Amino acid sequence: MAMHALHKIMAAKSGQTAVAPGDIVTCAVDVAGINDIYLMVVHAFRAMGGKRVMRPERVAIFMDHNAPSPSVQGAENQKAFREFAARYGIGHVFEINEGICHQLLPEAGLVKPGDIVVITDSHTTTHGAFGAFGTGVGSTDMAVILLEGSLWLRAPEIVNVKLAGKLRPGVMAKDAALFILGKLGTDFANYKAIEFSGAIVRALPAEERMVLCNMAVEMGAKTTYIAPDDTTIAYLRQYSDKPFAIPATDADFVYEKIYEFDLSGLEPQVALPASVDNVKPVKEALGTPIDQVFIGSCTGGKFTDIEAAAKYLRGKKVARGTRLVVTMASKATLGKAIAAGHYQTLLAAGAAITVPGCAACYGGHSGLLGAGERCATTSNRNFPGRMGDESSALYLVSPLTAAATAVAGKLTHPDYE
Amino acid sequence: MAIRSKAVVLRQNNVSTDQIWPGKYVNISDPGEMAAHVLEGADKTLRDRFKTVGRILVTGSSFGCGSSREQAVISLLQAGVKAVVASSVGRIWYRNAINLALPVLICPGAVDKIAEGDEIAVDLEAGTVTLAGGQVLKGQPVGEFVFNIIKSGGIKQLMRQKHAGEEAK
């Protein structure tokens, strides 16, 4: 039977010759990642009677959500994780200065095509951009992985989202992801895998591809896939020379469904409060007053995002009455931004630049919103209360729209100036 | 294995884990503290209704979409919820519910046929919900693999049995 690359990965990791949608298989996990807010993993591990961690060299703990800890409780949780890591010989501990798990995996050379990556973070779908099977789980599933080195997974049906045409200058992967959400909603891919393909995907740089795969979890997806090509390989080879084989989808594989969009004329998009599929072109919400702009997160705090914002902000100032918070995705992103002069540009424009990490995106710290405030953000979710008070409102946008909005103090994009 | 109780109805779609368990509480990992904030971002009256009205939550589509935070299941269990009936649910939340033995019946449209306080019965194995008047709504039965985890009281119990007797390394 014809198989998709993702099914081949599952077959290889579960010792099966073939895997079909609906099959439940137990797969060896190549990277098991735990975020610092989920100490419940350790509680669950103990509740299961865990005495040793299976393949601790494959386990990574990320001090990314509370980086550095804004609370005593957060500090206590991180302390307990450091003790757990030392006691069980955990292979990788990424400290509070390093950044967000999804950016760190490629930068640390820990993800490659054909891998199964499981992290206690829903945006683990990001790693489909590298030809890996990435999926998020809760604390109890992660404790099972610590015990067994493997996890049961249901092989997903696979839908193909084909993006034909060519994006206009100033239109980014985020706009494409929001457009898809607006058209297809938040659960069209529930329990399924999304492959992104087509001329637009092929033309995107690796970090822009990550945006599509990252936002796929908002479409309900369990995992994602972009067939690795020279762009993928060149990105990964910056950080690692580990060998890998690229799993290929059989030519006669039949997708459950194919969605095709020609995005040649796509305009900048915004997801209005308070659902990720409440999407309109930015021009239909022009002039919405904005109190804070957030440029950050695993979705919108990568180097490509910082660069898009900084190039626009050069020589400009954030509007009086509006604040700009920038939280880069990793220490390496920060280093590159300094080397390219983008950090200096952002600082001069009036940005508050925080420590790399998850921070305000998940409502943790470093830029939360007060009652009734409006924030334009390059992050991934605009659910009620996500970034602060329940009555605050989030507008999901691209980094370029975010930068233009910061300068105008109201929702806009360079196209409309 | 039918679960009987009165329905508490949350007539909303896309109730995210950010609403079930807001981000400001993510550092709380003690289950004993969790009932106090359950569903705070969606409707603050729910936590009391689980005490005064009933123990089966009935809601719309994409319930539990969003983050992987397991408090979004534990807090419901701690608040006394015995089962959830939803039109559809987020994938990670669903896995967490299975692992923690919270019975979840996916039954599209049930939310439109059930009123607050209705006495209902959920049969997970059969995939049905029986309404007060005797009408039976057909949802999605869970497979044997998943049912076995729930029936065993969650995956922790299964793992404890499986790994009992192992030595520390």
Side-chain angles (χ1 to χ4, degrees), chain B residues 94-118:
Chain B
Y94 186 52
R95 263 192 94 104
N96 291 340
I98 294 164
N99 283 334
L100 296 167
L102 171 65
V104 176
L105 179 69
I106 298 168
C107 186
V111 67
D112 301 321
K113 295 179 178 155
I114 297 171
E116 180 92 1
D118 281 1

Side-chain angles (χ1 to χ4, degrees), chain A residues 47 120 135 139-140 148 152, chain B residues 68 70 91 95 160 162-163:
Chain A
T120 53
T135 196
S139 306
T140 305
E148 309 218 304
W152 71 267
Chain B
S68 63
E70 212 158 276
R91 186 194 74 86
R95 263 192 94 104
R160 196 155 47 213
K162 188 172 166 191
H163 294 276

Side-chain angles (χ1 to χ4, degrees), chain B residues 6-65:
Chain B
K6 287 184 174 147
V8 170
V9 182
L10 173 61
R11 233 175 278 286
Q12 288 181 34
N13 295 326
N14 292 329
V15 173
S16 70
T17 57
D18 283 285
Q19 291 165 277
I20 305 171
W21 192 257
K24 59 187 166 187
Y25 303 126
V26 290
N27 289 310
I28 296 177
S29 59
D30 175 4
E33 296 178 42
M34 291 185 192
H37 303 295
V38 68
L39 279 158
E40 196 166 288
D43 184 341
K44 287 192 175 75
T45 68
L46 285 163
R47 56 190 174 224
D48 292 324
R49 283 149 62 193
F50 294 135
K51 292 181 193 140
T52 58
V53 179
R55 299 295 182 92
I56 299 179
L57 174 65
V58 179
T59 188
S61 61
S62 285
F63 183 78
C65 61

Side-chain angles (χ1 to χ4, degrees), chain A residues 82-106:
Chain A
R82 291 184 191 105
E83 288 163 3
F84 181 84
R87 179 168 171 193
Y88 293 98
I90 299 302
H92 309 273
V93 176
F94 291 93
E95 268 297 345
I96 55 163
N97 61 322
E98 297 281 355
I100 307 172
C101 59
H102 305 304
Q103 189 63 34
L104 292 174
L105 279 194

Side-chain angles (χ1 to χ4, degrees), chain B residues 67-124:
Chain B
S67 117
S68 63
R69 62 189 68 159
E70 212 158 276
Q71 293 101 325
V73 174
I74 302 172
S75 59
L76 289 167
L77 288 165
Q78 289 291 323
V81 174
K82 299 286 182 216
V84 174
V85 178
S87 295
S88 68
V89 296
R91 186 194 74 86
I92 302 176
W93 182 87
Y94 186 52
R95 263 192 94 104
N96 291 340
I98 294 164
N99 283 334
L100 296 167
L102 171 65
V104 176
L105 179 69
I106 298 168
C107 186
V111 67
D112 301 321
K113 295 179 178 155
I114 297 171
E116 180 92 1
D118 281 1
E119 181 85 32
I120 59 173
V122 174
D123 187 326
L124 207 59

Side-chain angles (χ1 to χ4, degrees), chain A residues 24 26 35-40 43-44 46-49 51-52 54 66 70-71 73-74 77 87-88 119-123 135-141 144 147-148 151-154 186-187 190-192 217-218 220-223 275 277 362-364 381 383-386 388 390, chain B residues 14-19 22-31 33-34 40-42 44 61-62 65-72 74 87-92 94-96 98-100 106 140 143 145-146 149 154-169:
Chain A
I24 291 180
T26 299
N35 307 93
D36 56 351
I37 50 174
Y38 297 120
L39 191 62
M40 285 188 301
H43 297 333
R46 293 202 179 115
M48 292 174 188
K51 295 189 186 70
R52 48 106 194 93
M54 185 72 89
N66 289 321
S71 68
Q73 180 69 63
N77 291 358
R87 179 168 171 193
Y88 293 98
I119 308 179
T120 53
D121 187 89
S122 57
H123 290 99
T135 196
V137 296
S139 306
T140 305
D141 270 330
V144 171
L147 240 73
E148 309 218 304
L151 186 71
W152 71 267
L153 293 166
R154 181 186 165 280
T186 58
D187 62 358
N190 212 358
Y191 308 111
K192 297 172 188 173
V217 76
E218 315 308 336
K222 173 194 197 110
T223 191
S275 176
D277 58 355
Y362 79 101
R381 291 185 175 136
F383 304 139
R386 168 84 176 170
E390 283 156 41
Chain B
N14 292 329
V15 173
S16 70
T17 57
D18 283 285
Q19 291 165 277
K24 59 187 166 187
Y25 303 126
V26 290
N27 289 310
I28 296 177
S29 59
D30 175 4
E33 296 178 42
M34 291 185 192
E40 196 166 288
K44 287 192 175 75
S61 61
S62 285
C65 61
S67 117
S68 63
R69 62 189 68 159
E70 212 158 276
Q71 293 101 325
I74 302 172
S87 295
S88 68
V89 296
R91 186 194 74 86
I92 302 176
Y94 186 52
R95 263 192 94 104
N96 291 340
I98 294 164
N99 283 334
L100 296 167
I106 298 168
Q140 297 172 13
F145 183 89
V146 165
I149 296 174
I155 205 159
K156 283 181 201 162
Q157 277 68 13
L158 289 176
M159 286 292 136
R160 196 155 47 213
Q161 288 158 20
K162 188 172 166 191
H163 294 276
E166 280 178 3
E167 294 300 314
K169 271 188 200 162

Side-chain angles (χ1 to χ4, degrees), chain A residues 169-246:
Chain A
V171 175
M172 302 184 70
K174 181 66 169 290
D175 298 301
L178 292 172
F179 176 82
I180 296 164
L181 276 161
K183 287 289 172 204
L184 301 177
T186 58
D187 62 358
F188 79 94
N190 212 358
Y191 308 111
K192 297 172 188 173
I194 301 177
E195 176 171 339
F196 293 100
S197 65
I200 283 177
V201 178
R202 297 266 76 88
L204 287 175
E207 290 189 348
E208 282 280 88
R209 296 177 183 188
M210 289 168 76
V211 175
L212 296 176
C213 294
N214 177 289
M215 291 295 290
V217 76
E218 315 308 336
M219 306 168 193
K222 173 194 197 110
T223 191
T224 65
Y225 195 73
I226 292 176
D229 60 8
D230 291 348
T231 301
T232 325
I233 294 166
Y235 189 77
L236 293 173
R237 284 287 173 247
Q238 291 178 84
Y239 306 110
S240 168
D241 54 9
K242 274 185 215 160
F244 54 75
I246 294 174

